[in-house]
Amino acid sequence: ASQSRGSRHAVSFHGGDVTIPLDAARNAAVAARIGDADVVVTSYVVAENAVALRARDYVFFRNLFREAKDGCLFVFAETTHRLWPEILRAALEELDGPVPLSLPTYLESGSTMIFQKSAAPDEDDAPDARRPRDDHASLLRRFAVDNAAHERKLRHQRAALLADS
């Protein structure tokens, strides 16, 4: 961890493998620190590992959500929004209580999803992912539709490649 002199804030970066369980040896550094983390940032590893994540039912993230302390903020930054509904579904299956959610999706360099573990909605009535407000529900439906269209495109491309060989 790196900490500035006189600061109460620290940051640490750890490599790992999001396609295997949190308790795997390659994820030891993350597992050792998740219980103390205030913020967990997952950046540009979801889309490239989509097939393996799905095959293992998002086990790393499910473990991460369970082991994180209450109030931990999860920030996902990615090139695409297509897997947000699946990751959010995994989180909701693992977490208890309200899950404040934010979907700042119109960024030039990609898409972001942010949610918090077991935190009561604040006075501003933070959107709870278990009962998303209309605009979030609409976005999540669109993300799922976009993902289905992408999957169809991939199947057609694979079929075309097989037909050409």
Side-chain angles (χ1 to χ4, degrees):
S2 172
Q3 188 166 358
S4 299
R5 174 175 236 135
S7 174
R8 296 181 305 143
H9 302 101
V11 63
S12 53
F13 298 91
H14 305 287
D17 186 340
V18 299
T19 68
I20 59 178
L22 182 61
D23 63 2
R26 282 186 279 180
N27 291 326
V30 177
R33 289 165 180 83
I34 187 59
D36 295 323
D38 294 315
V39 179
V40 174
V41 178
T42 304
S43 183
Y44 298 98
V45 297
V46 172
E48 68 190 38
N49 290 294
V51 172
L53 288 167
R54 286 176 174 147
R56 294 180 182 96
D57 196 29
Y58 295 91
V59 66
F60 173 84
F61 291 116
R62 287 176 180 278
N63 296 162
L64 201 67
F65 302 147
R66 276 195 307 268
E67 296 300 320
K69 70 181 183 180
D70 285 351
C72 183
L73 194 66
F74 292 92
V75 179
F76 290 86
E78 191 55 72
T79 58
T80 180
H81 55 266
R82 290 188 304 265
L83 296 177
W84 292 164
E86 294 175 32
I87 291 173
L88 185 59
R89 186 176 328 108
L92 294 176
E93 289 171 0
E94 299 302 327
L95 301 176
D96 295 321
V99 179
L101 171 69
S102 180
L103 295 168
T105 59
Y106 298 105
L107 303 175
E108 288 182 22
S109 60
S111 181
T112 307
M113 177 174 67
I114 304 167
F115 58 84
Q116 191 171 28
K117 178 180 179 175
S118 300
D122 61 21
E123 297 98 34
D124 295 331
D125 196 28
D128 183 352
R130 295 187 191 287
R131 290 175 273 100
R133 62 186 202 209
D134 290 345
D135 61 332
H136 282 165
S138 177
L139 281 171
L140 290 166
R141 283 190 300 273
R142 190 189 102 210
F143 297 167
V145 167
D146 289 352
N147 186 57
H150 180 72
E151 293 296 320
R152 280 190 304 277
K153 177 182 171 185
L154 292 175
R155 281 193 300 277
H156 287 113
Q157 288 174 341
R158 282 190 289 268
L161 287 172
L162 290 173
D164 288 344
S165 54

mmCIF file of all heavy atoms in Angstrom, residues 2 8 11 24 46 49 51 54-55 57 61 67 74 78 90 92 95-96 107 114 122 132 154 156-157 159 161 163:
data_model
loop_
_atom_site.group_PDB
_atom_site.id
_atom_site.type_symbol
_atom_site.label_atom_id
_atom_site.label_comp_id
_atom_site.label_asym_id
_atom_site.label_seq_id
_atom_site.Cartn_x
_atom_site.Cartn_y
_atom_site.Cartn_z
ATOM 1 N N SER A 2 0.398 2.250 -0.634
ATOM 2 C CA SER A 2 1.096 3.525 -0.682
ATOM 3 C C SER A 2 0.260 4.548 0.082
ATOM 4 O O SER A 2 -0.947 4.628 -0.091
ATOM 5 C CB SER A 2 1.255 3.961 -2.139
ATOM 6 O OG SER A 2 1.754 5.258 -2.198
ATOM 7 N N ARG A 8 -4.753 10.125 5.648
ATOM 8 C CA ARG A 8 -5.507 8.970 6.145
ATOM 9 C C ARG A 8 -5.851 8.029 5.001
ATOM 10 O O ARG A 8 -6.474 7.015 5.214
ATOM 11 C CB ARG A 8 -6.796 9.428 6.817
ATOM 12 C CG ARG A 8 -6.553 10.265 8.055
ATOM 13 C CD ARG A 8 -7.863 10.685 8.699
ATOM 14 N NE ARG A 8 -8.708 11.369 7.727
ATOM 15 C CZ ARG A 8 -10.032 11.257 7.670
ATOM 16 N NH1 ARG A 8 -10.675 10.511 8.518
ATOM 17 N NH2 ARG A 8 -10.721 11.915 6.762
ATOM 18 N N VAL A 11 -3.578 3.698 -0.983
ATOM 19 C CA VAL A 11 -4.006 3.023 -2.197
ATOM 20 C C VAL A 11 -3.041 1.869 -2.452
ATOM 21 O O VAL A 11 -1.856 1.967 -2.176
ATOM 22 C CB VAL A 11 -4.046 3.992 -3.408
ATOM 23 C CG1 VAL A 11 -2.681 4.536 -3.740
ATOM 24 C CG2 VAL A 11 -4.674 3.323 -4.613
ATOM 25 N N ALA A 24 -7.877 -18.584 -4.493
ATOM 26 C CA ALA A 24 -6.795 -19.180 -5.281
ATOM 27 C C ALA A 24 -5.491 -18.439 -5.007
ATOM 28 O O ALA A 24 -5.486 -17.239 -4.701
ATOM 29 C CB ALA A 24 -7.134 -19.116 -6.768
ATOM 30 N N VAL A 46 -13.180 -7.260 -17.527
ATOM 31 C CA VAL A 46 -14.428 -8.016 -17.596
ATOM 32 C C VAL A 46 -14.717 -8.491 -19.022
ATOM 33 O O VAL A 46 -14.917 -9.687 -19.257
ATOM 34 C CB VAL A 46 -15.603 -7.186 -17.034
ATOM 35 C CG1 VAL A 46 -16.926 -7.879 -17.277
ATOM 36 C CG2 VAL A 46 -15.400 -6.944 -15.541
ATOM 37 N N ASN A 49 -12.566 -11.230 -20.491
ATOM 38 C CA ASN A 49 -12.681 -12.512 -19.792
ATOM 39 C C ASN A 49 -14.120 -13.006 -19.704
ATOM 40 O O ASN A 49 -14.430 -13.892 -18.905
ATOM 41 C CB ASN A 49 -12.095 -12.383 -18.380
ATOM 42 C CG ASN A 49 -10.596 -12.228 -18.413
ATOM 43 O OD1 ASN A 49 -9.881 -13.126 -18.806
ATOM 44 N ND2 ASN A 49 -10.119 -11.067 -18.003
ATOM 45 N N VAL A 51 -16.131 -14.964 -21.400
ATOM 46 C CA VAL A 51 -16.434 -16.393 -21.553
ATOM 47 C C VAL A 51 -16.054 -17.158 -20.287
ATOM 48 O O VAL A 51 -16.855 -17.936 -19.763
ATOM 49 C CB VAL A 51 -15.716 -16.976 -22.797
ATOM 50 C CG1 VAL A 51 -15.863 -18.488 -22.853
ATOM 51 C CG2 VAL A 51 -16.260 -16.336 -24.069
ATOM 52 N N ARG A 54 -18.355 -16.197 -17.242
ATOM 53 C CA ARG A 54 -19.666 -16.857 -17.321
ATOM 54 C C ARG A 54 -19.556 -18.348 -17.020
ATOM 55 O O ARG A 54 -20.403 -18.906 -16.328
ATOM 56 C CB ARG A 54 -20.269 -16.662 -18.711
ATOM 57 C CG ARG A 54 -20.784 -15.277 -18.941
ATOM 58 C CD ARG A 54 -21.283 -15.130 -20.356
ATOM 59 N NE ARG A 54 -21.921 -13.848 -20.558
ATOM 60 C CZ ARG A 54 -21.884 -13.192 -21.698
ATOM 61 N NH1 ARG A 54 -21.245 -13.685 -22.745
ATOM 62 N NH2 ARG A 54 -22.492 -12.033 -21.799
ATOM 63 N N ALA A 55 -18.524 -18.978 -17.563
ATOM 64 C CA ALA A 55 -18.356 -20.424 -17.358
ATOM 65 C C ALA A 55 -18.208 -20.761 -15.878
ATOM 66 O O ALA A 55 -18.613 -21.844 -15.445
ATOM 67 C CB ALA A 55 -17.146 -20.937 -18.142
ATOM 68 N N ASP A 57 -19.479 -18.800 -13.436
ATOM 69 C CA ASP A 57 -20.555 -18.096 -12.729
ATOM 70 C C ASP A 57 -20.035 -16.926 -11.896
ATOM 71 O O ASP A 57 -20.484 -16.700 -10.777
ATOM 72 C CB ASP A 57 -21.359 -19.074 -11.867
ATOM 73 C CG ASP A 57 -22.692 -18.505 -11.425
ATOM 74 O OD1 ASP A 57 -23.252 -17.657 -12.153
ATOM 75 O OD2 ASP A 57 -23.173 -18.901 -10.347
ATOM 76 N N PHE A 61 -15.930 -12.603 -8.446
ATOM 77 C CA PHE A 61 -16.707 -11.449 -8.005
ATOM 78 C C PHE A 61 -17.694 -11.824 -6.903
ATOM 79 O O PHE A 61 -17.877 -11.074 -5.949
ATOM 80 C CB PHE A 61 -17.408 -10.787 -9.193
ATOM 81 C CG PHE A 61 -16.440 -10.125 -10.123
ATOM 82 C CD1 PHE A 61 -16.287 -10.578 -11.418
ATOM 83 C CD2 PHE A 61 -15.662 -9.060 -9.701
ATOM 84 C CE1 PHE A 61 -15.362 -9.974 -12.277
ATOM 85 C CE2 PHE A 61 -14.737 -8.456 -10.543
ATOM 86 C CZ PHE A 61 -14.597 -8.914 -11.839
ATOM 87 N N GLU A 67 -16.913 -11.158 0.747
ATOM 88 C CA GLU A 67 -15.814 -10.901 1.682
ATOM 89 C C GLU A 67 -15.582 -9.421 1.972
ATOM 90 O O GLU A 67 -14.944 -9.073 2.961
ATOM 91 C CB GLU A 67 -14.518 -11.524 1.159
ATOM 92 C CG GLU A 67 -14.568 -13.035 1.056
ATOM 93 C CD GLU A 67 -14.827 -13.711 2.383
ATOM 94 O OE1 GLU A 67 -14.268 -13.264 3.414
ATOM 95 O OE2 GLU A 67 -15.608 -14.685 2.414
ATOM 96 N N PHE A 74 -17.846 -0.633 -5.059
ATOM 97 C CA PHE A 74 -17.297 -1.382 -6.197
ATOM 98 C C PHE A 74 -17.440 -0.528 -7.446
ATOM 99 O O PHE A 74 -18.543 -0.107 -7.801
ATOM 100 C CB PHE A 74 -18.050 -2.702 -6.388
ATOM 101 C CG PHE A 74 -17.825 -3.674 -5.275
ATOM 102 C CD1 PHE A 74 -18.687 -3.712 -4.198
ATOM 103 C CD2 PHE A 74 -16.732 -4.516 -5.289
ATOM 104 C CE1 PHE A 74 -18.474 -4.596 -3.156
ATOM 105 C CE2 PHE A 74 -16.501 -5.401 -4.253
ATOM 106 C CZ PHE A 74 -17.381 -5.441 -3.179
ATOM 107 N N GLU A 78 -15.085 -0.275 -17.916
ATOM 108 C CA GLU A 78 -14.940 -1.257 -18.982
ATOM 109 C C GLU A 78 -15.181 -0.595 -20.336
ATOM 110 O O GLU A 78 -15.725 0.501 -20.413
ATOM 111 C CB GLU A 78 -15.950 -2.382 -18.725
ATOM 112 C CG GLU A 78 -15.790 -3.623 -19.557
ATOM 113 C CD GLU A 78 -14.412 -4.239 -19.485
ATOM 114 O OE1 GLU A 78 -14.042 -4.824 -18.464
ATOM 115 O OE2 GLU A 78 -13.688 -4.116 -20.495
ATOM 116 N N ALA A 90 -25.135 -11.111 -10.028
ATOM 117 C CA ALA A 90 -24.275 -11.883 -9.119
ATOM 118 C C ALA A 90 -24.134 -11.162 -7.778
ATOM 119 O O ALA A 90 -24.202 -11.788 -6.714
ATOM 120 C CB ALA A 90 -22.908 -12.116 -9.752
ATOM 121 N N LEU A 92 -26.240 -8.988 -6.397
ATOM 122 C CA LEU A 92 -27.496 -9.012 -5.666
ATOM 123 C C LEU A 92 -27.788 -10.385 -5.070
ATOM 124 O O LEU A 92 -28.414 -10.495 -4.018
ATOM 125 C CB LEU A 92 -28.644 -8.556 -6.559
ATOM 126 C CG LEU A 92 -28.574 -7.101 -7.002
ATOM 127 C CD1 LEU A 92 -29.709 -6.773 -7.961
ATOM 128 C CD2 LEU A 92 -28.556 -6.154 -5.828
ATOM 129 N N LEU A 95 -25.209 -10.304 -1.906
ATOM 130 C CA LEU A 95 -25.278 -9.238 -0.909
ATOM 131 C C LEU A 95 -26.650 -9.155 -0.254
ATOM 132 O O LEU A 95 -27.667 -9.453 -0.876
ATOM 133 C CB LEU A 95 -24.946 -7.890 -1.559
ATOM 134 C CG LEU A 95 -23.572 -7.780 -2.204
ATOM 135 C CD1 LEU A 95 -23.404 -6.434 -2.882
ATOM 136 C CD2 LEU A 95 -22.472 -8.016 -1.185
ATOM 137 N N ASP A 96 -26.648 -8.730 0.999
ATOM 138 C CA ASP A 96 -27.890 -8.475 1.722
ATOM 139 C C ASP A 96 -28.129 -6.974 1.768
ATOM 140 O O ASP A 96 -27.201 -6.186 1.675
ATOM 141 C CB ASP A 96 -27.782 -8.997 3.162
ATOM 142 C CG ASP A 96 -27.641 -10.501 3.211
ATOM 143 O OD1 ASP A 96 -28.306 -11.192 2.408
ATOM 144 O OD2 ASP A 96 -26.861 -10.994 4.044
ATOM 145 N N LEU A 107 -19.484 7.760 -21.076
ATOM 146 C CA LEU A 107 -18.112 8.239 -21.031
ATOM 147 C C LEU A 107 -17.451 7.938 -22.369
ATOM 148 O O LEU A 107 -17.708 6.903 -22.972
ATOM 149 C CB LEU A 107 -17.350 7.539 -19.904
ATOM 150 C CG LEU A 107 -17.969 7.683 -18.508
ATOM 151 C CD1 LEU A 107 -17.188 6.842 -17.512
ATOM 152 C CD2 LEU A 107 -17.987 9.138 -18.079
ATOM 153 N N ILE A 114 -21.179 1.489 -10.742
ATOM 154 C CA ILE A 114 -20.726 1.667 -9.363
ATOM 155 C C ILE A 114 -21.854 1.229 -8.443
ATOM 156 O O ILE A 114 -23.001 1.625 -8.629
ATOM 157 C CB ILE A 114 -20.384 3.147 -9.084
ATOM 158 C CG1 ILE A 114 -19.335 3.653 -10.082
ATOM 159 C CG2 ILE A 114 -19.907 3.324 -7.638
ATOM 160 C CD1 ILE A 114 -19.174 5.171 -10.079
ATOM 161 N N ASP A 122 -28.818 7.027 1.054
ATOM 162 C CA ASP A 122 -28.640 8.301 1.753
ATOM 163 C C ASP A 122 -29.876 9.190 1.608
ATOM 164 O O ASP A 122 -30.878 8.792 1.034
ATOM 165 C CB ASP A 122 -27.380 9.013 1.264
ATOM 166 C CG ASP A 122 -27.433 9.330 -0.223
ATOM 167 O OD1 ASP A 122 -28.541 9.374 -0.787
ATOM 168 O OD2 ASP A 122 -26.372 9.543 -0.814
ATOM 169 N N PRO A 132 -34.500 -0.694 -8.828
ATOM 170 C CA PRO A 132 -33.894 0.420 -9.575
ATOM 171 C C PRO A 132 -34.926 1.442 -10.022
ATOM 172 O O PRO A 132 -36.060 1.094 -10.344
ATOM 173 C CB PRO A 132 -33.240 -0.267 -10.774
ATOM 174 C CG PRO A 132 -33.944 -1.560 -10.919
ATOM 175 C CD PRO A 132 -34.420 -1.951 -9.555
ATOM 176 N N LEU A 154 -21.597 -12.638 -32.635
ATOM 177 C CA LEU A 154 -20.465 -13.553 -32.472
ATOM 178 C C LEU A 154 -20.791 -14.947 -33.009
ATOM 179 O O LEU A 154 -19.951 -15.582 -33.656
ATOM 180 C CB LEU A 154 -20.042 -13.638 -31.003
ATOM 181 C CG LEU A 154 -19.415 -12.391 -30.407
ATOM 182 C CD1 LEU A 154 -19.149 -12.580 -28.921
ATOM 183 C CD2 LEU A 154 -18.141 -12.007 -31.142
ATOM 184 N N HIS A 156 -22.912 -15.682 -35.395
ATOM 185 C CA HIS A 156 -22.919 -15.606 -36.859
ATOM 186 C C HIS A 156 -21.498 -15.562 -37.418
ATOM 187 O O HIS A 156 -21.206 -16.190 -38.433
ATOM 188 C CB HIS A 156 -23.724 -14.387 -37.335
ATOM 189 C CG HIS A 156 -25.192 -14.563 -37.176
ATOM 190 N ND1 HIS A 156 -25.931 -13.827 -36.287
ATOM 191 C CD2 HIS A 156 -26.068 -15.409 -37.781
ATOM 192 C CE1 HIS A 156 -27.189 -14.202 -36.347
ATOM 193 N NE2 HIS A 156 -27.305 -15.159 -37.243
ATOM 194 N N GLN A 157 -20.629 -14.813 -36.752
ATOM 195 C CA GLN A 157 -19.231 -14.742 -37.206
ATOM 196 C C GLN A 157 -18.553 -16.102 -37.108
ATOM 197 O O GLN A 157 -17.840 -16.513 -38.016
ATOM 198 C CB GLN A 157 -18.466 -13.696 -36.392
ATOM 199 C CG GLN A 157 -18.836 -12.282 -36.725
ATOM 200 C CD GLN A 157 -18.165 -11.276 -35.798
ATOM 201 O OE1 GLN A 157 -17.697 -11.610 -34.714
ATOM 202 N NE2 GLN A 157 -18.136 -10.024 -36.232
ATOM 203 N N ALA A 159 -20.041 -19.027 -37.182
ATOM 204 C CA ALA A 159 -20.642 -19.890 -38.202
ATOM 205 C C ALA A 159 -20.043 -19.582 -39.571
ATOM 206 O O ALA A 159 -19.760 -20.505 -40.351
ATOM 207 C CB ALA A 159 -22.159 -19.719 -38.218
ATOM 208 N N LEU A 161 -17.075 -18.346 -40.195
ATOM 209 C CA LEU A 161 -15.699 -18.854 -40.219
ATOM 210 C C LEU A 161 -15.665 -20.354 -40.423
ATOM 211 O O LEU A 161 -14.829 -20.877 -41.181
ATOM 212 C CB LEU A 161 -14.979 -18.493 -38.916
ATOM 213 C CG LEU A 161 -14.580 -17.038 -38.736
ATOM 214 C CD1 LEU A 161 -14.052 -16.785 -37.321
ATOM 215 C CD2 LEU A 161 -13.515 -16.658 -39.767
ATOM 216 N N ALA A 163 -17.960 -22.139 -41.930
ATOM 217 C CA ALA A 163 -18.421 -22.417 -43.298
ATOM 218 C C ALA A 163 -17.307 -22.173 -44.302
ATOM 219 O O ALA A 163 -17.243 -22.858 -45.328
ATOM 220 C CB ALA A 163 -19.636 -21.544 -43.626
#
